[in-house]
Amino acid sequence: MTAKMTYLDWAATTPLYEESSRAMQPYLATGAAHFPCGGNANSLHSIGRTAFKALEDARASVARDLHAARPSEIIFTSGATEANNAALKGIVSACMKRAQQEGKRDFVPHIIVSAIEHDSVLAPARRLKAEGCELTILKVDNNGFISEEVFCAALQENTVLASIQMANNEIGTVQSIARLAAHSHAVGAFFYTDAVQSLGKLEVNLAQLGIDAASFSAHKFGGPKGVGVLYLKTRTPFDAFLVGGGQEEARRSGTQNVCGIAGLAAACAYATASQAEEQQRLMSLRDYLYEKLTTRTTVFPSVAIEANSTQFLPNVVNVCVEGFESETLILHLDRAGFAVSGGSACSAHSLKPSHVLQAIRIPDARALCSLRISFGRYTTQGDIDAFLAVFFEFLGGEKE
Ligand code: PMP
């Protein structure tokens, strides 16, 4: 690894924030003297009750920061992949049981997702289809937006769930979640959103969004990896995905990761408190980078982002670079001290074009040349300038 790396891959994961690290320190201490923080939150003794209090304090703090109606609506999970799987399978299964109890013996549940969902939504949706559900995968426009007309036309009498991400991890498109949720409710369907990329970058106010469930992942907003949240509004039908010891009110069994959860809550507090200011700061970096990159005739923006647009994440720029495959670009930039991505980190080892870029109709040959630059709290204008200088030198040819 180069001595000093400039990290421009914040959509893949963020560095751990000081606030989060500090909140976890008591749980990382070793030895009997520090044991109170190492208790199992489900034990009856005082050591367990200390851990339980930390767990419930974290839950209350996250609920407050996200404007959930009750702390019990916050379920801690191992991350967003688990939350997404649990939500899709859990809500659909409970809706199916409910229909059967109402005497609809042949009820076939219908679910809606968009073509640009993360794989952790698409894969469980496809699994549900294989198990007999009806599935509609909605097309998006060339900038990744789902039109309300297209969404409404897809809603059916048997639609039980629509799962539409709040913001896309590759191209940054932000959907009109509150409106789509209202359309779903009008036909009696539940609405779920993968809000992983939004927290800290966009306002996330669960009371205003009017959704039934959502996922979050701590490592995308300065917390540790391997811990996340499934928000489940009270009275949303849900069959637990992980069953066993009955933790999290029997909605997610397994001994809670109190250390990680304390880190998640501290990161969530920072992310929500700094969001409005950070969105503006990141947006000016995004607009600057976008403008500079697109002065090159061989660099094509994957989506058209207008300056100051809040319809896209403030911290993601995705371009396709004619003549250079993603891998070549990433490895060259890595050697030069810059960490960037070709798209989603989850599919970084795949040589197939991204399903998101395909869905916005970028030809495969061009989609294989994509580059995603994403930034965050510690990124400065100097970092962006340094990146541009190295990148343009690599491209050679035209002068700015
Ligand atoms: N959804 C989106 C939009 C993501 O970007 C990611 C992470 N790449 C996930 C879900 C999965 O989150 P986790 O890493 O917590 O499993």
Side-chain angles (χ1 to χ4, degrees):
M1 197 176 88
T2 317
K4 182 189 172 292
M5 287 295 287
T6 300
Y7 187 68
L8 295 172
D9 197 12
W10 289 63
T13 196
T14 63
L16 187 66
Y17 290 177
E18 201 187 313
E19 294 81 358
S20 180
S21 169
R22 216 180 301 127
M24 291 192 288
Q25 288 314 311
Y27 304 91
L28 299 170
T30 57
H34 298 288
F35 199 69
C37 277
N40 183 325
N42 307 287
S43 299
L44 283 181
H45 46 64
S46 55
I47 292 174
R49 292 201 307 273
T50 304
F52 181 75
K53 180 166 185 317
L55 176 66
E56 294 312 311
D57 285 351
R59 198 186 310 280
S61 159
V62 171
R64 212 170 33 243
D65 292 338
L66 299 180
H67 302 274
R70 297 177 183 82
S72 60
E73 295 181 333
I74 302 299
I75 303 171
F76 292 114
T77 66
S78 68
T81 297
E82 182 194 322
N84 288 344
N85 273 267
L88 265 79
K89 294 180 181 194
I91 295 172
V92 171
S93 153
C95 286
M96 205 158 120
K97 274 191 202 150
R98 189 185 269 189
Q100 280 163 356
Q101 279 160 5
E102 288 167 357
K104 299 178 198 160
R105 289 176 134 257
D106 302 322
F107 183 75
V108 176
H110 171 239
I111 51 182
I112 300 175
V113 300
S114 84
I116 59 169
E117 295 302 306
H118 189 264
D119 282 328
S120 57
V121 167
L122 286 173
R126 291 201 176 102
R127 175 83 58 97
L128 284 165
K129 184 180 177 196
E131 289 167 1
C133 291
E134 265 184 69
L135 171 65
T136 300
I137 301 183
L138 287 183
K139 289 198 168 111
V140 295
D141 72 14
N142 288 2
N143 282 318
F145 293 106
I146 295 160
S147 90
E148 283 184 54
E149 293 71 42
V150 168
F151 184 80
C152 289
L155 290 165
Q156 302 176 177
E157 205 189 339
N158 60 335
T159 307
V160 294
L161 180 69
S163 176
I164 306 291
Q165 63 190 189
M166 198 173 291
N168 185 269
N169 52 309
E170 292 187 44
I171 53 177
T173 313
V174 176
Q175 308 294 345
S176 312
I177 293 303
R179 297 182 66 87
L180 300 181
H183 291 308
S184 299
H185 292 157
V187 300
F190 291 94
F191 190 90
Y192 177 67
T193 191
D194 169 339
V196 166
Q197 293 290 337
S198 313
L199 195 52
K201 274 85 71 182
L202 307 172
E203 189 184 5
V204 178
N205 182 323
L206 295 170
Q208 281 173 10
L209 287 168
I211 55 183
D212 302 295
S215 59
F216 302 93
S217 183
H219 76 99
K220 305 285 187 180
F221 53 90
K225 290 163 191 54
V227 58
V229 164
L230 169 60
Y231 159 74
L232 194 66
K233 192 175 174 182
T234 310
R235 284 192 282 282
T236 307
F238 180 72
D239 276 347
F241 176 56
L242 285 184
V243 289
Q247 290 89 345
E248 301 293 285
E249 295 185 18
R251 296 165 303 175
R252 197 278 184 184
S253 286
T255 303
Q256 291 92 342
N257 170 7
V258 183
C259 175
I261 290 167
L264 178 149
C268 180
Y270 178 84
T272 48
S274 60
Q275 179 271 323
E277 207 177 312
E278 195 60 352
Q279 183 175 10
Q280 288 305 316
R281 191 186 75 86
L282 294 174
M283 195 147 71
S284 46
L285 290 182
R286 177 198 70 190
D287 293 347
Y288 176 77
L289 174 64
Y290 183 93
E291 199 213 303
K292 291 279 178 195
L293 283 174
T294 51
T295 56
R296 288 283 171 141
T297 53
T298 56
V299 178
F300 300 92
S302 302
V303 283
I305 306 181
E306 282 178 21
N308 284 319
S309 174
T310 52
Q311 292 194 301
F312 292 92
L313 283 172
N315 66 323
V316 174
V317 174
N318 191 311
V319 291
C320 296
V321 187
E322 200 169 86
F324 297 97
E325 289 200 342
S326 305
E327 220 182 23
T328 312
L329 291 164
I330 293 164
L331 295 179
H332 173 79
L333 289 162
D334 182 51
R335 278 192 296 273
F338 296 89
V340 295
S341 152
S344 165
C346 310
S347 46
H349 298 283
S350 142
L351 293 174
K352 289 198 300 244
S354 135
H355 71 277
V356 173
L357 299 184
Q358 284 181 321
I360 59 170
R361 297 167 197 85
I362 293 183
D364 285 358
R366 183 171 284 182
L368 286 168
C369 303
S370 64
L371 194 65
R372 179 187 68 184
I373 304 113
S374 56
F375 31 91
R377 180 178 180 182
Y378 305 135
T379 312
T380 63
Q381 166 98 29
D383 292 333
I384 301 287
D385 280 327
F387 165 77
L388 284 166
V390 166
F391 181 60
F392 285 162
E393 194 189 315
F394 181 66
L395 294 190
E398 323 158 35
K399 288 268 170 290
E400 247 191 282

mmCIF file of all heavy atoms in Angstrom, residues 11-12 79-81 84 118 120 165 167 169 194 196-197 217 219-220 344 346, ligand 1:
data_model
loop_
_atom_site.group_PDB
_atom_site.id
_atom_site.type_symbol
_atom_site.label_atom_id
_atom_site.label_comp_id
_atom_site.label_asym_id
_atom_site.label_seq_id
_atom_site.Cartn_x
_atom_site.Cartn_y
_atom_site.Cartn_z
ATOM 1 N N ALA A 11 -18.675 5.440 -0.273
ATOM 2 C CA ALA A 11 -19.953 4.746 -0.447
ATOM 3 C C ALA A 11 -19.777 3.255 -0.140
ATOM 4 O O ALA A 11 -20.735 2.559 0.177
ATOM 5 C CB ALA A 11 -20.495 4.950 -1.855
ATOM 6 N N ALA A 12 -18.530 2.759 -0.242
ATOM 7 C CA ALA A 12 -18.265 1.351 0.081
ATOM 8 C C ALA A 12 -18.233 1.176 1.593
ATOM 9 O O ALA A 12 -18.834 0.258 2.147
ATOM 10 C CB ALA A 12 -16.936 0.905 -0.523
ATOM 11 N N GLY A 79 -26.249 -5.837 10.133
ATOM 12 C CA GLY A 79 -25.936 -4.945 9.010
ATOM 13 C C GLY A 79 -27.144 -4.836 8.106
ATOM 14 O O GLY A 79 -28.231 -5.363 8.416
ATOM 15 N N ALA A 80 -26.955 -4.164 6.981
ATOM 16 C CA ALA A 80 -28.092 -3.926 6.093
ATOM 17 C C ALA A 80 -28.449 -5.149 5.253
ATOM 18 O O ALA A 80 -29.603 -5.332 4.900
ATOM 19 C CB ALA A 80 -27.812 -2.732 5.199
ATOM 20 N N THR A 81 -27.476 -5.975 4.941
ATOM 21 C CA THR A 81 -27.806 -7.182 4.159
ATOM 22 C C THR A 81 -28.791 -8.028 4.953
ATOM 23 O O THR A 81 -29.809 -8.493 4.410
ATOM 24 C CB THR A 81 -26.519 -7.980 3.839
ATOM 25 O OG1 THR A 81 -25.684 -7.161 3.012
ATOM 26 C CG2 THR A 81 -26.827 -9.283 3.114
ATOM 27 N N ASN A 84 -32.213 -6.163 5.107
ATOM 28 C CA ASN A 84 -32.946 -6.238 3.838
ATOM 29 C C ASN A 84 -33.562 -7.632 3.632
ATOM 30 O O ASN A 84 -34.719 -7.761 3.239
ATOM 31 C CB ASN A 84 -32.022 -5.901 2.660
ATOM 32 C CG ASN A 84 -31.678 -4.416 2.606
ATOM 33 O OD1 ASN A 84 -32.341 -3.595 3.241
ATOM 34 N ND2 ASN A 84 -30.645 -4.053 1.856
ATOM 35 N N HIS A 118 -29.899 -2.589 -4.380
ATOM 36 C CA HIS A 118 -28.690 -3.322 -4.003
ATOM 37 C C HIS A 118 -28.987 -4.831 -4.098
ATOM 38 O O HIS A 118 -30.134 -5.249 -3.919
ATOM 39 C CB HIS A 118 -28.319 -2.943 -2.566
ATOM 40 C CG HIS A 118 -26.988 -3.450 -2.124
ATOM 41 N ND1 HIS A 118 -26.836 -4.609 -1.405
ATOM 42 C CD2 HIS A 118 -25.738 -2.945 -2.294
ATOM 43 C CE1 HIS A 118 -25.555 -4.800 -1.153
ATOM 44 N NE2 HIS A 118 -24.859 -3.803 -1.686
ATOM 45 N N SER A 120 -28.601 -7.043 -2.066
ATOM 46 C CA SER A 120 -29.181 -7.606 -0.835
ATOM 47 C C SER A 120 -30.693 -7.374 -0.753
ATOM 48 O O SER A 120 -31.345 -7.861 0.172
ATOM 49 C CB SER A 120 -28.480 -7.041 0.406
ATOM 50 O OG SER A 120 -28.557 -5.640 0.436
ATOM 51 N N GLN A 165 -35.160 1.710 -2.768
ATOM 52 C CA GLN A 165 -34.070 2.330 -2.010
ATOM 53 C C GLN A 165 -34.229 3.861 -1.948
ATOM 54 O O GLN A 165 -34.790 4.467 -2.862
ATOM 55 C CB GLN A 165 -32.730 1.989 -2.650
ATOM 56 C CG GLN A 165 -32.609 2.547 -4.043
ATOM 57 C CD GLN A 165 -31.416 2.056 -4.829
ATOM 58 O OE1 GLN A 165 -31.158 2.581 -5.876
ATOM 59 N NE2 GLN A 165 -30.699 1.063 -4.370
ATOM 60 N N ALA A 167 -31.548 6.046 -1.707
ATOM 61 C CA ALA A 167 -30.513 6.613 -2.584
ATOM 62 C C ALA A 167 -29.643 5.478 -3.097
ATOM 63 O O ALA A 167 -29.350 4.530 -2.359
ATOM 64 C CB ALA A 167 -29.671 7.618 -1.816
ATOM 65 N N ASN A 169 -26.364 3.493 -4.342
ATOM 66 C CA ASN A 169 -24.961 3.454 -3.929
ATOM 67 C C ASN A 169 -23.970 3.626 -5.070
ATOM 68 O O ASN A 169 -22.807 3.920 -4.840
ATOM 69 C CB ASN A 169 -24.677 2.135 -3.193
ATOM 70 C CG ASN A 169 -25.110 0.925 -3.973
ATOM 71 O OD1 ASN A 169 -26.231 0.829 -4.446
ATOM 72 N ND2 ASN A 169 -24.204 -0.015 -4.148
ATOM 73 N N ASP A 194 -34.456 0.761 1.600
ATOM 74 C CA ASP A 194 -33.048 0.565 1.956
ATOM 75 C C ASP A 194 -32.469 1.978 2.012
ATOM 76 O O ASP A 194 -32.286 2.630 0.983
ATOM 77 C CB ASP A 194 -32.398 -0.288 0.853
ATOM 78 C CG ASP A 194 -30.880 -0.357 0.953
ATOM 79 O OD1 ASP A 194 -30.277 0.522 1.596
ATOM 80 O OD2 ASP A 194 -30.299 -1.280 0.352
ATOM 81 N N VAL A 196 -29.584 2.872 3.408
ATOM 82 C CA VAL A 196 -28.182 2.728 3.789
ATOM 83 C C VAL A 196 -27.299 3.911 3.385
ATOM 84 O O VAL A 196 -26.475 4.378 4.160
ATOM 85 C CB VAL A 196 -27.640 1.400 3.193
ATOM 86 C CG1 VAL A 196 -26.128 1.331 3.252
ATOM 87 C CG2 VAL A 196 -28.256 0.229 3.925
ATOM 88 N N GLN A 197 -27.478 4.384 2.161
ATOM 89 C CA GLN A 197 -26.572 5.442 1.677
ATOM 90 C C GLN A 197 -27.000 6.833 2.125
ATOM 91 O O GLN A 197 -26.266 7.799 1.921
ATOM 92 C CB GLN A 197 -26.476 5.395 0.140
ATOM 93 C CG GLN A 197 -25.790 4.155 -0.401
ATOM 94 C CD GLN A 197 -24.292 4.117 -0.107
ATOM 95 O OE1 GLN A 197 -23.645 5.143 0.126
ATOM 96 N NE2 GLN A 197 -23.717 2.931 -0.116
ATOM 97 N N SER A 217 -26.954 0.856 7.957
ATOM 98 C CA SER A 217 -25.752 0.092 8.266
ATOM 99 C C SER A 217 -24.697 1.026 8.856
ATOM 100 O O SER A 217 -24.327 2.025 8.224
ATOM 101 C CB SER A 217 -25.234 -0.555 6.979
ATOM 102 O OG SER A 217 -24.112 -1.343 7.271
ATOM 103 N N HIS A 219 -21.512 1.037 9.242
ATOM 104 C CA HIS A 219 -20.222 1.335 8.598
ATOM 105 C C HIS A 219 -20.338 2.312 7.436
ATOM 106 O O HIS A 219 -19.331 2.731 6.860
ATOM 107 C CB HIS A 219 -19.497 0.044 8.185
ATOM 108 C CG HIS A 219 -20.025 -0.649 6.968
ATOM 109 N ND1 HIS A 219 -19.450 -0.506 5.733
ATOM 110 C CD2 HIS A 219 -21.053 -1.515 6.803
ATOM 111 C CE1 HIS A 219 -20.112 -1.269 4.862
ATOM 112 N NE2 HIS A 219 -21.089 -1.883 5.484
ATOM 113 N N LYS A 220 -21.577 2.686 7.091
ATOM 114 C CA LYS A 220 -21.734 3.692 6.032
ATOM 115 C C LYS A 220 -21.825 5.097 6.615
ATOM 116 O O LYS A 220 -21.910 6.069 5.875
ATOM 117 C CB LYS A 220 -22.998 3.408 5.216
ATOM 118 C CG LYS A 220 -23.066 2.018 4.619
ATOM 119 C CD LYS A 220 -22.168 1.821 3.415
ATOM 120 C CE LYS A 220 -22.440 0.461 2.788
ATOM 121 N NZ LYS A 220 -21.626 0.182 1.635
ATOM 122 N N SER A 344 -20.171 -0.772 -7.156
ATOM 123 C CA SER A 344 -20.442 -1.313 -5.831
ATOM 124 C C SER A 344 -19.282 -2.186 -5.368
ATOM 125 O O SER A 344 -18.785 -3.014 -6.122
ATOM 126 C CB SER A 344 -21.714 -2.152 -5.920
ATOM 127 O OG SER A 344 -21.831 -2.958 -4.793
ATOM 128 N N CYS A 346 -19.460 -4.526 -3.379
ATOM 129 C CA CYS A 346 -19.942 -5.904 -3.247
ATOM 130 C C CYS A 346 -19.742 -6.690 -4.533
ATOM 131 O O CYS A 346 -19.689 -7.909 -4.518
ATOM 132 C CB CYS A 346 -21.415 -5.909 -2.863
ATOM 133 S SG CYS A 346 -21.748 -4.849 -1.467
HETATM 134 N N1 PMP B 1 -27.708 -1.487 0.605
HETATM 135 C C1 PMP B 1 -26.914 -0.570 0.032
HETATM 136 C C2 PMP B 1 -27.530 0.519 -0.804
HETATM 137 C C3 PMP B 1 -25.527 -0.626 0.207
HETATM 138 O O1 PMP B 1 -24.746 0.292 -0.363
HETATM 139 C C4 PMP B 1 -24.981 -1.674 0.984
HETATM 140 C C5 PMP B 1 -23.483 -1.790 1.197
HETATM 141 N N2 PMP B 1 -22.747 -1.854 0.006
HETATM 142 C C6 PMP B 1 -25.849 -2.613 1.562
HETATM 143 C C7 PMP B 1 -27.205 -2.477 1.356
HETATM 144 C C8 PMP B 1 -25.338 -3.747 2.392
HETATM 145 O O2 PMP B 1 -24.966 -3.304 3.673
HETATM 146 P P1 PMP B 1 -24.074 -4.157 4.663
HETATM 147 O O3 PMP B 1 -22.677 -3.911 4.244
HETATM 148 O O4 PMP B 1 -24.355 -3.582 6.023
HETATM 149 O O5 PMP B 1 -24.515 -5.559 4.573
#
